[in-house]
Amino acid sequence: MGFILSLNNFLFMLVKTIIGVMGPGEGATPDQNEMAFELGKAIAQNGWITLTGGRSFGVMDAALKGACEAGGLTIGILPMETTKGASENAQIRIVTGMNSGRNYLSVLSSNVVVVLGMAPGTASEVALAIKSNKKVILLNQDDVTVNFFKQIGTYKILVAKTVDETIRLAKEYLAVNKA
Amino acid sequence: MGFILSLNNFLFMLVKTIIGVMGPGEGATPDQNEMAFELGKAIAQNGWITLTGGRSFGVMDAALKGACEAGGLTIGILPMETTKGASENAQIRIVTGMNSGRNYLSVLSSNVVVVLGMAPGTASEVALAIKSNKKVILLNQDDVTVNFFKQIGTYKILVAKTVDETIRLAKEYLAVNKA
Amino acid sequence: MGFILSLNNFLFMLVKTIIGVMGPGEGATPDQNEMAFELGKAIAQNGWITLTGGRSFGVMDAALKGACEAGGLTIGILPMETTKGASENAQIRIVTGMNSGRNYLSVLSSNVVVVLGMAPGTASEVALAIKSNKKVILLNQDDVTVNFFKQIGTYKILVAKTVDETIRLAKEYLAVNKA
Amino acid sequence: MGFILSLNNFLFMLVKTIIGVMGPGEGATPDQNEMAFELGKAIAQNGWITLTGGRSFGVMDAALKGACEAGGLTIGILPMETTKGASENAQIRIVTGMNSGRNYLSVLSSNVVVVLGMAPGTASEVALAIKSNKKVILLNQDDVTVNFFKQIGTYKILVAKTVDETIRLAKEYLAVNKA
């Protein structure tokens, strides 16, 4: 019985924790990209996988790059039918051929969803994350955005101003909600 | 040449105009359901098809019911693998098996998207509609919602207070953007 | 009670019966296109909707064209994010943005699946139809194809040589399996 | 210039090679499960990732288990909206909520597709792999199956009798078709 329990524990540990980082592609600001890079690094340093929409632009790309530089594993959930246009920092490429339909998979596959910058695709990911009962951390968002998502997401929405605060919130959540 | 033009016109007229009506299911208020019913009726009276998420609850169901009563054609884009749980007012049932992933198809298949009531799934549809360059009419929405979607959707977002105003805005748009 | 039953019957009749016609696009032979055209006509004459992959080529297009000429209603389940490349005979355009992922929706949305001609996409539709417990009619297929699908689909696979036989088999099935 | 080339090489090496293993779930035979286990082990020993449909049954589960035991990385492309029913050997869980619609993603995300055992879902994966120009290795399949898929897939279909032969064919293909 003790053996079975520890075997289960061992098997359980095989399952990876995935942090989704959602944000604009081409429209991301330099500050957002910088923060996404730091966020990806911090996710990797905690032993978690970084997952994004996987394209070679903006927050998607910068977060994956940060994670790679810190030696972490990365996943890109790609919109096209091929890997064309994928970030070179997306180590594992899930090719969906679903265009923006892939946003639903990005949030379903994440244990925690962090949102940095805002754009229509990003907003759909926040909304689908709430719908799917995911914990969402809004990082450095303006009041208009926070007010709207708190109105539809209530307790599922957390707010952070810094990468450190984001990581702390994710840790607290994951401590009681295993992958 | 005149013949070819008129043949093209004839063929063109085969293509149906689809108005998507997006809104909460179980969480819809009686007033929202009443308005959705009137909206479905008005859509049918204009010769357009009413499309919703197709479930037997809330705005989805009420809009389809209104359209049916006015003799219109209706489409339900269903989340499940079967027609179980479909509104009996969904005459054409597109069965997706994609759960909330079907929200993307609902907006892509609509010539105009009307939004009545708000919930996480509904918000994802508005965001995906903006992302897909659809015209979105926010019907009777509060300021928090309008401010957020105007911030990310700019000119693609129209605002209406009544069913009549909604139909007028849809007509104006469709007059210059054929199905 | 009689009233309720008849009301239910009335409502039930609103739901449309959809016949999916699956077959090659660009690779279809003239004979296959001719037969698809006749099949679409026959489907329409029975009051059923014709559903195909909706592109402007091959079996997809020819079946929709036959249905339109006989005054029937048609649905195209389109692979792209827009209606670009759609058959002009696809009256109702379900835009999926899912590329070949839309094949699953085509079969789930059909009450009966008829297969005319063979290609990789078509084969995926037959397989997914079997998986989803749909009745599949293989129309005018060679032995290699029939043997394989009978091996994996057993009783779900019916075989026909002509459009008339196909319609008869569909009618028999629908008589005991309502839409 | 040499620096840039070597940097590119370094980045290129980040991208993982994924071998998809497709086969029946509940219906798999003990021999097929045994072979799937050996196949997963061999994939891991070559430094590749093993990807399957991710459920806790049959070929899907056995291949992931073999890969885990050999210290490899594994991906499950899950059909449900949650990780319920996932193989405990699926280390990275891509949650799609798409039911059998996820079969398309499984093949698109694989550099090579290996097929072991046959069932309707498996057949849809072979067909979609051919449609998406993937190399498919049919492992230990009967003549009816091989004949059909060679007829629709021609040169994209390779045939193997053993795990060793499968690995050799995959290596040859990957030597000239990088991930």
Side-chain angles (χ1 to χ4, degrees):
Chain A
M1 175 106 162
F3 173 73
I4 290 173
L5 278 174
S6 62
L7 181 64
N8 276 345
N9 275 354
F10 171 72
L11 287 169
F12 183 79
M13 291 191 58
L14 287 174
V15 178
K16 308 288 187 189
T17 295
I18 298 176
I19 309 295
V21 180
M22 311 300 164
E26 288 82 349
T29 66
D31 280 0
Q32 286 165 354
N33 287 338
E34 182 63 34
M35 203 172 219
F37 179 83
E38 294 305 324
L39 179 60
K41 266 172 72 172
I43 290 169
Q45 283 156 357
N46 279 278
W48 303 324
I49 295 182
T50 304
L51 177 153
T52 78
R55 291 175 55 243
S56 60
F57 284 98
V59 164
M60 289 180 270
D61 184 50
L64 297 178
K65 193 179 180 64
C68 284
E69 291 215 359
L73 197 56
T74 60
I75 301 175
I77 307 287
L78 299 173
M80 314 283 276
E81 289 173 283
T82 68
T83 58
K84 215 177 140 185
S87 163
E88 56 188 9
N89 298 294
Q91 298 169 32
I92 295 175
R93 285 136 182 234
I94 303 300
V95 182
T96 70
M98 294 175 71
N99 290 291
S100 293
R102 67 89 151 78
N103 295 2
Y104 183 48
L105 282 63
S106 297
V107 300
L108 284 183
S109 302
S110 299
N111 296 101
V112 172
V113 172
V114 183
V115 187
L116 205 175
M118 190 48 58
T122 309
S124 76
E125 290 167 316
V126 180
L128 288 165
I130 296 168
K131 171 78 178 173
S132 308
N133 292 312
K134 296 287 175 179
K135 192 61 79 178
V136 178
I137 304 174
L138 298 180
L139 174 50
N140 215 20
Q141 302 286 345
D142 64 33
D143 286 349
V144 169
T145 301
V146 171
N147 288 343
F148 176 68
F149 285 119
K150 283 209 162 173
Q151 185 163 289
I152 64 168
T154 62
Y155 71 93
K156 296 169 200 160
I157 299 294
L158 302 178
V159 171
K161 282 286 168 210
T162 64
V163 167
D164 281 356
E165 201 181 345
T166 301
I167 296 294
R168 188 175 53 73
L169 289 170
K171 266 187 186 164
E172 282 174 16
Y173 176 75
L174 292 167
V176 285
N177 296 273
K178 290 179 194 171
Chain B
M1 174 103 162
F3 173 73
I4 290 172
L5 278 175
S6 62
L7 181 64
N8 276 345
N9 274 353
F10 171 72
L11 287 170
F12 183 78
M13 291 192 59
L14 286 176
V15 178
K16 308 288 188 189
T17 295
I18 297 175
I19 309 295
V21 180
M22 311 301 165
E26 288 82 350
T29 66
D31 281 359
Q32 286 165 353
N33 287 338
E34 182 64 34
M35 203 174 219
F37 180 82
E38 294 304 324
L39 179 61
K41 266 173 73 171
I43 291 169
Q45 284 157 356
N46 279 278
W48 303 323
I49 293 182
T50 303
L51 177 152
T52 78
R55 290 174 56 243
S56 60
F57 285 97
V59 164
M60 290 180 269
D61 184 50
L64 298 177
K65 193 179 180 65
C68 284
E69 291 216 359
L73 197 56
T74 61
I75 301 174
I77 307 287
L78 299 172
M80 313 283 275
E81 289 172 284
T82 68
T83 58
K84 214 177 140 185
S87 163
E88 56 189 10
N89 299 295
Q91 298 169 33
I92 295 174
R93 285 137 182 232
I94 303 300
V95 182
T96 71
M98 295 174 71
N99 289 293
S100 293
R102 65 90 149 79
N103 295 2
Y104 183 48
L105 283 64
S106 297
V107 300
L108 285 182
S109 302
S110 300
N111 296 101
V112 172
V113 173
V114 183
V115 187
L116 204 175
M118 189 50 56
T122 309
S124 76
E125 290 167 316
V126 180
L128 288 165
I130 296 168
K131 171 79 179 171
S132 308
N133 292 311
K134 295 287 175 179
K135 191 62 79 178
V136 178
I137 304 174
L138 298 179
L139 174 49
N140 215 21
Q141 301 287 348
D142 64 33
D143 286 350
V144 169
T145 301
V146 171
N147 288 344
F148 176 69
F149 286 119
K150 283 209 161 173
Q151 186 163 289
I152 64 168
T154 62
Y155 70 93
K156 294 170 201 161
I157 300 294
L158 302 178
V159 170
K161 283 285 168 210
T162 65
V163 167
D164 282 354
E165 200 182 345
T166 301
I167 296 294
R168 188 176 53 72
L169 289 170
K171 267 187 184 163
E172 282 174 17
Y173 175 74
L174 292 168
V176 286
N177 296 274
K178 291 179 193 172
Chain C
M1 174 105 161
F3 172 74
I4 290 171
L5 277 175
S6 63
L7 181 64
N8 277 344
N9 274 354
F10 171 72
L11 287 170
F12 183 78
M13 291 192 58
L14 287 176
V15 178
K16 308 288 186 189
T17 295
I18 297 176
I19 309 295
V21 180
M22 312 299 164
E26 288 82 349
T29 66
D31 280 0
Q32 286 165 354
N33 287 337
E34 182 63 35
M35 203 173 220
F37 180 82
E38 294 305 324
L39 179 60
K41 264 171 74 171
I43 291 169
Q45 284 157 357
N46 278 278
W48 302 324
I49 294 182
T50 303
L51 176 151
T52 79
R55 289 173 57 243
S56 59
F57 285 98
V59 164
M60 289 180 271
D61 184 49
L64 297 178
K65 192 178 180 67
C68 284
E69 290 216 359
L73 197 56
T74 61
I75 301 175
I77 308 287
L78 299 172
M80 314 282 276
E81 288 173 283
T82 68
T83 59
K84 215 176 141 184
S87 163
E88 55 189 9
N89 299 294
Q91 297 168 32
I92 294 174
R93 287 138 180 231
I94 303 299
V95 182
T96 71
M98 293 174 73
N99 290 292
S100 292
R102 66 93 149 77
N103 296 2
Y104 183 48
L105 282 63
S106 297
V107 301
L108 285 183
S109 303
S110 299
N111 296 102
V112 172
V113 173
V114 183
V115 187
L116 205 175
M118 191 48 59
T122 310
S124 76
E125 289 166 317
V126 181
L128 289 165
I130 296 168
K131 172 77 179 174
S132 309
N133 292 312
K134 295 287 175 178
K135 192 60 81 177
V136 178
I137 304 175
L138 298 180
L139 173 50
N140 214 21
Q141 301 287 346
D142 65 33
D143 286 350
V144 170
T145 301
V146 170
N147 288 343
F148 176 68
F149 286 119
K150 281 208 163 172
Q151 185 163 289
I152 64 168
T154 64
Y155 70 93
K156 294 170 201 160
I157 300 294
L158 303 177
V159 170
K161 282 286 167 210
T162 64
V163 167
D164 281 355
E165 202 182 343
T166 301
I167 296 294
R168 187 176 54 74
L169 289 170
K171 266 186 186 164
E172 282 174 17
Y173 176 75
L174 292 168
V176 286
N177 296 273
K178 292 180 192 171
Chain D
M1 174 106 160
F3 173 74
I4 290 171
L5 277 175
S6 63
L7 182 63
N8 277 344
N9 275 354
F10 171 72
L11 288 169
F12 182 79
M13 291 191 57
L14 287 175
V15 178
K16 308 288 187 189
T17 295
I18 297 175
I19 309 295
V21 180
M22 311 300 164
E26 287 82 348
T29 66
D31 281 0
Q32 286 165 353
N33 287 337
E34 182 63 34
M35 202 174 222
F37 180 82
E38 293 305 324
L39 180 60
K41 265 172 72 172
I43 290 169
Q45 283 157 358
N46 279 278
W48 303 324
I49 294 182
T50 303
L51 176 151
T52 79
R55 291 173 56 243
S56 60
F57 286 98
V59 165
M60 290 180 269
D61 184 49
L64 298 178
K65 191 177 179 68
C68 285
E69 290 215 359
L73 197 56
T74 61
I75 302 176
I77 308 287
L78 299 172
M80 314 283 275
E81 289 172 282
T82 68
T83 59
K84 215 177 141 184
S87 163
E88 57 189 9
N89 298 294
Q91 297 169 32
I92 295 174
R93 286 137 181 232
I94 304 298
V95 182
T96 71
M98 294 174 73
N99 290 291
S100 292
R102 66 90 151 76
N103 295 2
Y104 183 47
L105 283 62
S106 297
V107 300
L108 285 182
S109 303
S110 298
N111 296 101
V112 172
V113 173
V114 183
V115 187
L116 205 176
M118 189 50 58
T122 310
S124 76
E125 290 166 318
V126 181
L128 288 166
I130 296 168
K131 170 78 179 173
S132 310
N133 293 311
K134 295 286 174 179
K135 192 61 81 179
V136 178
I137 304 174
L138 298 179
L139 173 50
N140 215 22
Q141 301 287 347
D142 65 34
D143 286 349
V144 169
T145 301
V146 171
N147 288 344
F148 176 68
F149 286 119
K150 282 208 164 173
Q151 185 164 288
I152 63 168
T154 63
Y155 70 92
K156 294 170 201 161
I157 300 293
L158 303 177
V159 170
K161 281 286 169 210
T162 64
V163 167
D164 281 354
E165 201 182 344
T166 301
I167 296 294
R168 188 177 52 74
L169 289 171
K171 266 187 186 162
E172 282 174 18
Y173 175 75
L174 292 168
V176 286
N177 296 273
K178 292 180 192 169

Coordinates of all heavy atoms in Angstrom, one line a residue, chain D residues 76-111:
Chain D
G76 N -0.1 13.9 -24.8 CA -1.4 13.3 -25.1 C -2.3 14.4 -25.7 O -2.4 15.5 -25.0
I77 N -2.9 14.2 -26.8 CA -3.9 15.2 -27.4 C -5.2 14.7 -27.0 O -5.8 13.8 -27.6 CB -3.7 15.2 -28.9 CG1 -2.3 15.5 -29.4 CG2 -4.7 16.3 -29.5 CD1 -1.7 16.9 -29.1
L78 N -5.8 15.3 -26.0 CA -7.0 14.7 -25.3 C -8.3 15.2 -26.0 O -8.4 16.3 -26.3 CB -7.0 15.1 -23.8 CG -5.8 14.6 -23.0 CD1 -5.8 15.2 -21.6 CD2 -5.8 13.1 -22.9
P79 N -9.3 14.3 -26.0 CA -10.5 14.6 -26.7 C -11.5 15.5 -25.8 O -12.3 16.2 -26.4 CB -11.2 13.3 -27.0 CG -10.6 12.3 -25.9 CD -9.2 12.8 -25.7
M80 N -11.4 15.3 -24.5 CA -12.4 16.0 -23.6 C -12.0 17.4 -23.3 O -11.0 17.9 -23.8 CB -12.4 15.2 -22.3 CG -12.5 13.7 -22.4 SD -14.1 13.2 -22.9 CE -14.9 13.1 -21.2
E81 N -12.9 18.1 -22.5 CA -12.6 19.5 -22.1 C -11.7 19.6 -20.9 O -11.3 20.6 -20.5 CB -13.9 20.1 -21.7 CG -14.9 20.4 -22.7 CD -16.2 20.9 -22.0 OE1 -16.9 20.0 -21.5 OE2 -16.4 22.1 -22.0
T82 N -11.5 18.4 -20.3 CA -10.6 18.4 -19.1 C -9.7 17.2 -19.3 O -9.7 16.5 -20.3 CB -11.5 18.1 -17.8 OG1 -12.0 16.8 -17.9 CG2 -12.6 19.1 -17.7
T83 N -8.8 17.0 -18.3 CA -7.8 15.9 -18.3 C -8.4 14.6 -17.8 O -7.7 13.6 -17.7 CB -6.6 16.3 -17.5 OG1 -7.0 16.5 -16.2 CG2 -5.9 17.5 -18.0
K84 N -9.7 14.6 -17.5 CA -10.3 13.4 -17.0 C -10.2 12.3 -18.1 O -10.4 12.5 -19.3 CB -11.8 13.6 -16.8 CG -12.4 12.9 -15.7 CD -13.9 13.3 -15.5 CE -14.7 12.0 -15.1 NZ -16.2 12.4 -15.0
G85 N -9.8 11.1 -17.7 CA -9.6 10.0 -18.6 C -8.3 10.0 -19.3 O -8.0 9.1 -20.2
A86 N -7.4 10.9 -18.9 CA -6.1 10.9 -19.6 C -5.2 9.8 -19.0 O -5.3 9.4 -17.8 CB -5.4 12.3 -19.3
S87 N -4.3 9.3 -19.9 CA -3.3 8.3 -19.4 C -2.4 9.0 -18.4 O -2.0 10.2 -18.7 CB -2.5 7.9 -20.6 OG -1.3 7.3 -20.2
E88 N -2.0 8.3 -17.4 CA -1.1 8.9 -16.4 C 0.3 9.0 -17.0 O 1.2 9.6 -16.4 CB -1.1 8.2 -15.1 CG -0.8 6.7 -15.3 CD -1.0 5.9 -14.0 OE1 -1.6 6.5 -13.0 OE2 -0.6 4.7 -14.0
N89 N 0.5 8.4 -18.2 CA 1.8 8.5 -18.8 C 1.8 9.6 -19.9 O 2.8 9.8 -20.6 CB 2.1 7.2 -19.5 CG 2.2 6.0 -18.5 OD1 3.1 6.0 -17.7 ND2 1.2 5.1 -18.5
A90 N 0.8 10.4 -19.9 CA 0.8 11.6 -20.8 C 1.3 12.8 -20.0 O 0.6 13.3 -19.2 CB -0.6 11.9 -21.3
Q91 N 2.6 13.1 -20.2 CA 3.2 14.1 -19.4 C 2.7 15.5 -19.7 O 2.5 16.3 -18.9 CB 4.7 14.0 -19.5 CG 5.3 12.7 -19.1 CD 6.8 12.6 -19.5 OE1 7.5 13.6 -19.6 NE2 7.2 11.4 -19.8
I92 N 2.6 15.7 -21.0 CA 2.1 17.0 -21.5 C 0.7 16.8 -22.1 O 0.6 16.0 -23.0 CB 3.0 17.6 -22.6 CG1 4.4 17.9 -22.0 CG2 2.4 18.8 -23.3 CD1 5.4 18.4 -23.0
R93 N -0.3 17.5 -21.5 CA -1.7 17.2 -21.9 C -2.2 18.4 -22.6 O -2.4 19.4 -22.1 CB -2.5 17.0 -20.6 CG -2.1 15.6 -20.0 CD -2.0 15.6 -18.5 NE -1.7 14.3 -18.0 CZ -2.3 13.6 -17.1 NH1 -3.3 14.2 -16.4 NH2 -2.0 12.4 -16.8
I94 N -2.5 18.1 -23.9 CA -3.1 19.2 -24.7 C -4.6 18.8 -24.7 O -5.0 17.8 -25.2 CB -2.5 19.2 -26.2 CG1 -1.0 19.4 -26.1 CG2 -3.2 20.2 -27.0 CD1 -0.5 20.7 -25.5
V95 N -5.3 19.7 -24.0 CA -6.7 19.5 -23.8 C -7.5 20.2 -24.9 O -7.4 21.5 -25.1 CB -7.1 20.0 -22.4 CG1 -8.6 19.8 -22.2 CG2 -6.3 19.4 -21.3
T96 N -8.3 19.5 -25.7 CA -8.9 20.1 -26.9 C -10.4 20.3 -26.8 O -10.9 21.2 -27.5 CB -8.6 19.2 -28.2 OG1 -9.5 18.0 -28.1 CG2 -7.2 18.8 -28.3
G97 N -11.1 19.5 -26.0 CA -12.5 19.6 -26.0 C -13.2 19.4 -27.3 O -14.4 19.7 -27.5
M98 N -12.5 18.7 -28.2 CA -13.0 18.6 -29.6 C -13.4 17.2 -30.0 O -13.7 16.9 -31.1 CB -11.9 18.9 -30.6 CG -11.5 20.4 -30.6 SD -10.0 20.6 -31.7 CE -10.8 20.4 -33.3
N99 N -13.4 16.3 -29.0 CA -13.8 14.9 -29.2 C -12.9 14.4 -30.4 O -11.7 14.6 -30.4 CB -15.3 14.7 -29.5 CG -16.0 15.0 -28.2 OD1 -15.9 14.1 -27.3 ND2 -16.8 16.0 -28.1
S100 N -13.5 13.6 -31.3 CA -12.6 13.1 -32.4 C -12.1 14.1 -33.4 O -11.3 13.8 -34.2 CB -13.4 12.0 -33.2 OG -13.7 10.9 -32.4
G101 N -12.6 15.3 -33.2 CA -12.0 16.4 -34.0 C -10.5 16.6 -33.7 O -9.7 17.1 -34.6
R102 N -10.1 16.1 -32.6 CA -8.7 16.3 -32.2 C -7.8 15.4 -33.0 O -6.5 15.6 -33.0 CB -8.5 16.0 -30.7 CG -8.8 14.6 -30.2 CD -7.6 13.7 -30.2 NE -7.6 12.7 -29.2 CZ -8.3 11.6 -29.2 NH1 -9.2 11.3 -30.1 NH2 -8.1 10.7 -28.2
N103 N -8.3 14.4 -33.7 CA -7.5 13.5 -34.5 C -6.7 14.3 -35.6 O -5.5 13.9 -35.9 CB -8.4 12.4 -35.2 CG -9.0 11.5 -34.3 OD1 -8.9 11.7 -33.0 ND2 -9.8 10.5 -34.8
Y104 N -7.3 15.3 -36.1 CA -6.6 16.1 -37.1 C -5.3 16.8 -36.5 O -4.3 16.8 -37.1 CB -7.6 17.2 -37.6 CG -7.1 18.1 -38.7 CD1 -6.4 17.6 -39.8 CD2 -7.3 19.5 -38.6 CE1 -6.0 18.5 -40.8 CE2 -6.9 20.3 -39.6 CZ -6.2 19.8 -40.7 OH -5.8 20.7 -41.7
L105 N -5.5 17.3 -35.3 CA -4.3 17.9 -34.6 C -3.2 16.9 -34.3 O -2.1 17.3 -34.3 CB -4.8 18.6 -33.3 CG -5.5 19.9 -33.4 CD1 -6.9 19.8 -34.1 CD2 -5.7 20.4 -32.0
S106 N -3.6 15.7 -34.0 CA -2.6 14.7 -33.6 C -1.7 14.4 -34.8 O -0.5 14.3 -34.7 CB -3.3 13.4 -33.2 OG -4.1 13.6 -32.0
V107 N -2.3 14.3 -36.0 CA -1.5 14.1 -37.2 C -0.7 15.3 -37.6 O 0.5 15.2 -38.0 CB -2.2 13.4 -38.3 CG1 -2.9 12.1 -37.9 CG2 -3.3 14.3 -38.9
L108 N -1.3 16.5 -37.6 CA -0.6 17.7 -38.0 C 0.6 18.0 -37.1 O 1.6 18.5 -37.6 CB -1.6 18.9 -37.9 CG -2.6 19.1 -39.0 CD1 -3.4 20.4 -38.7 CD2 -2.0 19.1 -40.4
S109 N 0.5 17.6 -35.8 CA 1.6 17.9 -34.9 C 2.7 16.8 -34.9 O 3.7 17.0 -34.2 CB 1.0 18.0 -33.5 OG 0.0 19.0 -33.4
S110 N 2.5 15.8 -35.7 CA 3.5 14.7 -35.7 C 4.4 14.8 -37.0 O 3.9 15.1 -38.0 CB 2.8 13.3 -35.8 OG 2.0 13.1 -34.6
N111 N 5.7 14.6 -36.8 CA 6.6 14.6 -37.9 C 6.5 13.3 -38.7 O 6.7 13.3 -39.9 CB 8.1 14.8 -37.4 CG 8.3 16.1 -36.7 OD1 8.3 16.2 -35.5 ND2 8.3 17.2 -37.5

